[in-house]
Amino acid sequence: MSYKQSIDNCLGEGRLSEAQLAGALGQARLGLAQLRAWHGDGSLPLLALPGRRDDLEALSPVIASFQEHCTDILVLGTGGSSLGGRALCALAQPHGGPRIHFLENVDPWRFAQLFDSLDLERTGVIAISKSGGTSETMMQFLACLKRFRDSVGDAGIARRFTVITEPTGNPLHRLADEFAIPCLDHDPGIGGRFSVLSLVGLLPAAIAGVDIGAVRDGAAEVLEAALAADDPKDSAPALGAAVSVALAREHGVSATVFMAYADGLRETALWFRQLWAESLGKQGRGTTPIDAVGTVDQHSQLQLWLDGPADKMFTIVTAPSLGQGDRTDPAMLSRIPELDWLAGRTLGDLLDAHARGTADALAAAGRPVRTMRLDAVDAPSLGALLMHFMLETIIAAHMMGVNPFDQPAVEQGKIRARAYMDETRGTER
Ligand code: PA5
């Protein structure tokens, strides 16, 4: 397995008792059984992705074309259509390939600024929307169509754009057809925030140079272990779900902090935040996810976590960093005794020490702390981590009695936004 999870510091005085954990594990067992059933009958296509390679082969020409012709790629889309790709692209090494820009928002200033810096002759666009009707994505798409039409013409658009959407007559598909833009199918059975291992997350990642086969390999390890586990304790996601749900239920833990000690996992923390919030926040249930990066958030949120309300669970994600990176020159410190302890040490040494120090301090303050140690910040480990949290979320939802795959409440804001658009029509200039 490309990571190790420890929940030892979630147990004990003021945290979970063995009996409380055992009770939750009994429920997690049922969640695992549900996963096994879905895997068996194919009704949750997400679970088939780690074992597939045929779809990746089919993507190869698309990837090669973007890599060959583009210096920049705009990825249009929001929420689950964007965050998975962002998490994976954060792994990419500079390789001389295209720069990937995730637009996500409809911020007019950022849009204008970005376009000022682009050569549209050498810019590709990937528009992603499962429903093909999300207003922000459609607005981004329409704005791009106009800019590109003015610059490279309709034939240029057909060569530079690709759309990923459900194979239905949705607005995005219809517009793509009008402009002869190729459409790749978004599997209707895979929801946005569970789509990172599909072409939604993997296409941008592959263009950026990430080994997407290795991402799937890492995910497959976690899935296989979960499906094979007789005891939920043998499946890290089931154990994680049991701890999380039991802490909420038995100890009023209402927030869950995901803190990664690696800049390469900053976007993964955002991806987790959306997955957890949108999947579980229903019917008065759910816990509030908080994304954080170590050591940065030690200087931002840690005071509250250690000394504020005891209402949070912590997941500290690390990868080996000891001995990594730039090393200080001891000669520079010969007359600065206060910094003696940094002499001859590396950036990675300090990152490692702070990760351990923070986890220990939280545990010593009686806070429930889970640690997840990746083998490396690389494609297999990230694939494993992503699969871990998708499974943990689904199992937690099962235990909480909520449907992880819908988000009915967010419609309310969309309906009002539509009304405001109608109300302000004609008054905007
Ligand atoms: O996870 C989800 O289902 C959502 O966050 C969607 O991804 C988001 O609303 C965008 O939807 P769509 O892909 O249909 O444009």
Side-chain angles (χ1 to χ4, degrees), residues 77-82 128-134 137 186 191-194 274 278 405 407 414:
T78 194
S81 287
S82 158
I128 308 176
S129 173
K130 179 177 191 291
S131 61
T134 301
T137 308
H186 191 309
R193 56 191 173 276
F194 293 94
Q274 187 229 0
E278 219 172 27
F405 304 115
Q407 56 283 329
K414 292 185 194 170

Side-chain angles (χ1 to χ4, degrees), residues 180-222:
I181 295 169
C183 282
L184 303 174
D185 288 350
H186 191 309
D187 188 328
I190 301 181
R193 56 191 173 276
F194 293 94
S195 68
V196 58
L197 299 174
S198 78
L199 77 174
V200 169
L202 297 186
L203 178 60
I207 296 169
V210 175
D211 181 350
I212 58 176
V215 171
R216 285 231 178 127
D217 289 344
E221 269 188 353
V222 180

Side-chain angles (χ1 to χ4, degrees), residues 24-232:
L25 282 167
Q27 281 190 305
R29 183 189 295 278
L30 302 177
L32 268 180
Q34 174 68 81
L35 274 180
R36 237 172 260 127
W38 281 334
H39 182 257
D41 66 14
S43 54
L44 192 60
L46 142 76
L47 302 179
L49 291 176
R52 287 184 61 186
R53 290 295 176 275
D54 55 310
D55 56 336
L56 303 189
E57 281 156 29
L59 277 187
S60 292
V62 186
I63 296 164
S65 168
F66 276 117
Q67 286 178 331
E68 188 182 338
H69 300 294
C70 300
T71 54
D72 295 86
I73 311 278
L74 309 182
V75 181
L76 316 183
T78 194
S81 287
S82 158
L83 286 161
R86 276 183 67 187
L88 289 171
C89 283
L91 285 186
Q93 303 291 333
H95 63 109
R99 289 174 289 268
I100 316 278
H101 310 270
F102 288 88
L103 263 72
E104 287 193 303
N105 208 347
V106 282
D107 177 330
W109 301 282
R110 150 113 164 108
F111 204 83
Q113 208 176 37
L114 178 61
F115 270 86
D116 282 348
S117 71
L118 295 173
D119 170 6
L120 297 195
E121 289 286 349
R122 306 272 293 150
T123 300
V125 175
I126 303 173
I128 308 176
S129 173
K130 179 177 191 291
S131 61
T134 301
S135 65
E136 298 95 316
T137 308
M138 295 313 299
M139 196 69 168
Q140 294 167 355
F141 188 62
L142 291 165
C144 282
L145 282 177
K146 184 159 183 308
R147 292 239 185 195
F148 277 78
R149 173 176 259 180
D150 293 346
S151 163
V152 298
D154 287 8
I157 287 175
R159 278 199 304 277
R160 286 169 182 75
F161 281 46
T162 291
V163 157
I164 300 176
T165 190
E166 286 180 331
T168 61
N170 67 54
L172 178 59
H173 209 306
R174 296 209 308 276
L175 259 174
D177 291 346
E178 276 185 27
F179 281 84
I181 295 169
C183 282
L184 303 174
D185 288 350
H186 191 309
D187 188 328
I190 301 181
R193 56 191 173 276
F194 293 94
S195 68
V196 58
L197 299 174
S198 78
L199 77 174
V200 169
L202 297 186
L203 178 60
I207 296 169
V210 175
D211 181 350
I212 58 176
V215 171
R216 285 231 178 127
D217 289 344
E221 269 188 353
V222 180
L223 177 64
E224 280 158 23
L227 296 174
D230 287 330
D231 183 334

Side-chain angles (χ1 to χ4, degrees), residues 289-310:
I290 298 170
D291 60 292
V293 170
T295 64
V296 183
D297 280 290
Q298 292 174 199
H299 303 272
S300 162
Q301 307 192 67
L302 186 58
Q303 169 64 36
L304 171 81
W305 298 344
L306 282 166
D307 210 18

